[in-house]
Amino acid sequence: MSPNITQSWVLALVPEIGLVILLAAVLLYDRLVKPEERRRVGLLTAWGAFAILVTTLGLWLATGEPNNATDIGTSLMWGGMIRFDLIALVFHVIFLVALMLTALLSLDVEHLQKGEYYALLITAAIGFSLMGASADLIMLYVALETASISSYILAGFATKDPRSSEAGMKYFIYGAFATGVMLYGMSLLYGLTGQTNLYILGSIFGGFQQIPTEVNAVVILSAVMIMVGFGFKISAVPFHFWTPDVYEGSPTPFTGYVSTASKAAGFAVFLRVFTTGVLGEPSDASMWWAMLIAITVITMTLGNFVAIFQKNFKRLLAYSSIAQAGYALIGLVTLSPDGSSATMYYLLMYIFTNIAAFGVITIVSNRIGSDELEDFSGLSRRSPYLALVMMFALLSLSGIPPTAGFFGKFFLFRSAVNAGLWWLALLGILNAFVALYYYLSAVKYMYLYRSENEDDPIPVSRGAKVGLAFSLFFIFYLGIFAGPIFEWTRTAADAFFVLAR
Amino acid sequence: MIPLSWYLLVAAALFSIGLYGVLARRNAVAILMGVELMLNAVNINLVAFWRYGRFPEQPVGLAWAVFVLTVAAAEAAVGLALIISIYRHRDSVVAEEMDTLKN
């Protein structure tokens, strides 16, 4: 008996199929290309990701699938393993854009001009895409590990650099530990119900008026364990210890990738699992909800306050990215369509903003061989455009209009106020002021401080220029015309809450 | 027949030993072994839940356990490669001594 494979089943997997073809093409092309033209492998990856992005969006516009019909029966595909809805589409766009920009910015880094590097970036993207679409615990686990294992190798990819090896090792140890704990929690959920599909699990637990006490204890235990795994992925606070070390030691373009795409994938599964109602309704009495709010508050605050004291640019952005995860969690804890869509919007704008910032660090440190903050002194005289891109990226991270970060934060805080969590929004705003301090002090290094080699300009290749210009364009586009994109994520977010009432 | 709780106890004990290994051992290879123990505990859980569950005709737990085994093998390969890569730089696999990256 073979399942009846329909057109939408295939449509659901278009990005993944495209990425697998691209993977094969990259590995093959790497063997064929002359050693002095190695750079072209990266260009192939970037063009391929762009082509897949255009195809995915084109097919969506042409066929109207996935649409905002939120019926579970028609949107679950491939035996319930993945769900083909607008959420999956939003996250596919996020990951493909991240892959394209990362490939463009990796082009000129000598030790990354290898086919394996790009192949691993693509494998990680396949894992992320499937995470964004997965509707089943088994699929979720396999997708998450596909992404994680590729990321461990990428973090340790610069084997000649002891810092990179150490980053890979640390990422691996923390990551394997966190996924082990998460998996144990998932096995408990499976044991309770005999089911692995998120939506079936959600309807089972949602069917109870009050989950029986002895069952509830196991549910809470597995919720905590699953939160360890997801919290690791998004670098939320008690599970953030790997973040600064891995961000500092990894090859810089990959740092940009892991801080945006990997985080977005973590949020994708976090939202998918916690909005199905696997854990019951959020209420003041439910322990997992209180825990999630505590994590949100601590993540924002600790990230921002520790970032103030950083002397290394990549470490500063690492703590900043912990804080950004805290802001994005605000949308998650409201557990409303508004909040989830605000989180998705935030992740989308975060891709452009953070990859632009790490792109500038890549180009500068590729030239000067350092990523300490004080070595960025006088950047505005060495390369005014790089300094400008960096300044707008930092302003967007701190949420100043007219950059994308402003609306990102605005939608998040609005959803918190609408959900009655006005104090959480207030904390977020206070945190944004703290963040402004250290972002502006980084700007100060670039614009006000002088250095002795100011007449030594920093060359920027055309690929990197295109990547940075693309990011900068969207930093402003999402900051000025936020409405249509937010509407898009808002429509998508309805699909999260199909089981609620 | 042996009751389900015995299997769950063995799995929980194995998981705790693995957890202890990850948190307390200094040698990176021993940490890796701890992770493997945790994953094996999960496998015992999955297979036991499948066998004693309400749907033994759907081999979901079995399939999942096979996936976990496969992924664990891949993870071990990558982990050992990373350990070798760091051993070449430092002539040591002691996790505490990996302190190039810190504030």
Side-chain angles (χ1 to χ4, degrees):
Chain A
M1 189 187 83
S2 69
N4 190 12
I5 296 177
T6 60
Q7 186 200 3
S8 24
W9 283 35
V10 180
L11 277 181
L13 284 183
V14 161
E16 286 85 359
I17 294 171
L19 284 168
V20 171
I21 295 171
L22 182 61
L23 177 67
V26 162
L27 285 173
L28 193 67
Y29 188 63
D30 181 54
R31 293 291 100 195
L32 299 177
V33 79
K34 291 194 210 83
E36 62 272 15
E37 289 173 345
R38 272 288 170 78
R39 213 170 156 274
R40 291 195 188 170
V41 183
L43 279 176
L44 175 68
T45 313
W47 276 111
F50 183 67
I52 298 167
L53 179 65
V54 171
T55 316
T56 310
L57 285 174
L59 282 176
W60 171 57
L61 291 174
T63 62
E65 282 186 88
N67 49 30
N68 54 0
T70 50
D71 182 38
I72 304 175
T74 52
S75 60
L76 281 180
M77 283 163 198
W78 299 103
M81 285 292 140
I82 65 171
R83 185 154 179 243
F84 187 39
D85 49 13
L86 272 173
I87 306 164
L89 183 73
V90 171
F91 280 106
H92 282 152
V93 169
I94 289 180
F95 303 135
L96 289 169
V97 168
L99 175 64
M100 180 180 76
L101 292 177
T102 310
L104 279 177
L105 294 166
S106 315
L107 283 179
D108 302 298
V109 186
E110 193 95 31
H111 61 267
L112 299 182
Q113 288 171 346
K114 290 182 183 150
E116 297 89 336
Y117 172 75
Y118 294 101
L120 285 167
L121 281 183
I122 297 167
T123 335
I126 296 172
F128 295 146
S129 304
L130 287 173
M131 274 165 87
S134 61
D136 192 285
L137 291 178
I138 301 178
M139 187 72 233
L140 198 159
Y141 168 70
V142 175
L144 191 137
E145 284 288 20
T146 310
S148 301
I149 292 177
S150 323
S151 304
Y152 304 149
I153 310 174
L154 283 167
F157 196 81
T159 41
K160 290 203 175 63
D161 180 3
R163 298 197 306 164
S164 175
S165 300
E166 192 179 316
M169 190 69 227
K170 284 185 171 164
Y171 196 16
F172 171 75
I173 290 177
Y174 284 115
F177 170 71
T179 36
V181 174
M182 178 193 79
L183 197 58
Y184 195 83
M186 288 178 172
S187 79
L188 290 180
L189 271 188
Y190 168 65
L192 277 178
T193 56
Q195 299 289 345
T196 54
N197 192 293
L198 287 177
Y199 294 91
I200 297 178
L201 283 172
S203 58
I204 289 174
F205 288 111
F208 287 107
Q209 204 56 257
Q210 177 89 48
I211 297 176
T213 322
E214 66 275 15
V215 177
N216 201 29
V218 184
V219 174
I220 293 287
L221 179 67
S222 68
V224 173
M225 289 178 133
I226 291 175
M227 261 192 234
V228 173
F230 294 173
F232 164 81
K233 271 276 166 219
I234 64 169
S235 61
V237 150
F239 325 109
H240 71 288
F241 295 102
W242 60 279
T243 316
D245 289 353
V246 171
Y247 280 29
E248 188 188 342
S250 305
T252 315
F254 171 68
T255 310
Y257 195 55
V258 81
S259 72
T260 52
S262 179
K263 190 166 293 209
F267 270 105
V269 289
F270 219 138
L271 284 165
R272 279 250 191 233
V273 173
F274 281 74
T275 52
T276 51
V278 171
L279 305 165
E281 289 290 306
S283 68
D284 293 335
S286 54
M287 208 166 92
W288 63 272
W289 199 56
M291 211 151 50
L292 211 53
I293 292 185
I295 289 178
T296 309
V297 172
I298 301 170
T299 305
M300 292 196 279
T301 318
L302 186 129
N304 275 327
F305 277 91
V306 182
I308 295 176
F309 305 105
Q310 299 307 316
K311 299 273 175 286
N312 181 297
F313 216 139
K314 281 162 86 179
R315 262 191 121 75
L316 181 131
L317 285 180
Y319 281 106
S320 125
S321 98
I322 295 174
Q324 306 284 344
Y327 297 133
L329 271 172
I330 293 179
L332 176 64
V333 297
T334 61
L335 285 180
S336 61
D338 261 337
S340 316
S341 64
T343 300
M344 283 196 280
Y345 185 85
Y346 202 81
L347 294 169
L348 186 62
M349 82 86 198
Y350 190 60
I351 292 277
F352 299 112
T353 307
N354 225 32
I355 288 189
F358 277 109
V360 173
I361 299 181
T362 307
I363 295 164
V364 174
S365 63
N366 200 23
R367 172 80 182 186
I368 64 175
S370 155
D371 37 41
E372 296 300 314
L373 208 44
E374 57 188 30
D375 292 321
F376 280 71
S377 304
L379 184 67
S380 63
R381 290 179 184 79
R382 297 180 77 172
S383 174
Y385 291 110
L386 283 183
L388 199 70
V389 171
M390 187 55 134
M391 186 180 76
F392 282 121
L394 291 175
L395 287 181
S396 177
L397 284 176
S398 54
I400 305 284
T403 53
F406 170 71
F407 276 109
K409 285 204 175 51
F410 172 76
F411 292 135
L412 282 174
F413 296 156
R414 192 185 63 175
S415 74
V417 171
N418 287 346
L421 296 165
W422 58 270
W423 57 272
L424 200 57
L426 189 68
L427 266 176
I429 293 169
L430 291 177
N431 258 301
F433 282 116
V434 177
L436 194 57
Y437 167 75
Y438 62 80
Y439 288 131
L440 287 184
S441 60
V443 173
K444 188 176 72 181
Y445 273 100
M446 295 185 302
Y447 275 88
L448 299 181
Y449 290 0
R450 311 290 297 250
S451 71
E452 51 265 36
N453 39 13
E454 270 171 15
D455 15 278
D456 173 28
I458 294 173
V460 186
S461 72
R462 202 173 66 182
K465 269 183 196 158
V466 170
L468 290 179
F470 190 83
S471 309
L472 198 61
F473 173 75
F474 275 97
I475 287 175
F476 282 109
Y477 185 83
L478 292 177
I480 296 166
F481 307 104
I485 308 282
F486 183 72
E487 279 304 311
W488 184 48
T489 58
R490 180 66 186 76
T491 321
D494 280 332
F496 277 128
F497 294 91
V498 279
L499 294 176
R501 287 161 294 276
Chain B
M1 200 157 101
I2 304 170
L4 172 65
S5 56
W6 289 32
Y7 291 98
L8 297 187
L9 278 176
V10 171
L14 207 56
F15 186 78
S16 311
I17 295 170
L19 201 65
Y20 175 80
V22 174
L23 297 175
R25 294 304 292 262
R26 299 170 68 235
N27 190 313
V29 179
I31 293 176
L32 187 60
M33 286 159 67
V35 170
E36 295 294 318
L37 280 186
M38 288 164 68
L39 293 177
N40 285 337
V42 173
N43 274 344
I44 295 179
N45 251 2
L46 289 174
V47 175
F49 280 139
W50 164 71
R51 181 68 183 75
Y52 287 82
R54 279 189 296 145
F55 310 101
E57 72 283 358
Q58 300 174 356
V60 177
L62 276 187
W64 198 349
V66 171
F67 276 115
V68 175
L69 281 178
T70 320
V71 169
E75 211 166 48
V78 168
L80 287 172
L82 286 167
I83 291 174
I84 291 171
S85 147
I86 205 157
Y87 181 78
R88 289 197 177 134
H89 286 294
R90 314 183 65 103
D91 278 342
S92 142
V93 289
V94 178
E96 281 168 9
E97 289 169 11
M98 298 176 193
D99 53 3
T100 320
L101 302 163
K102 63 179 175 196
N103 283 324

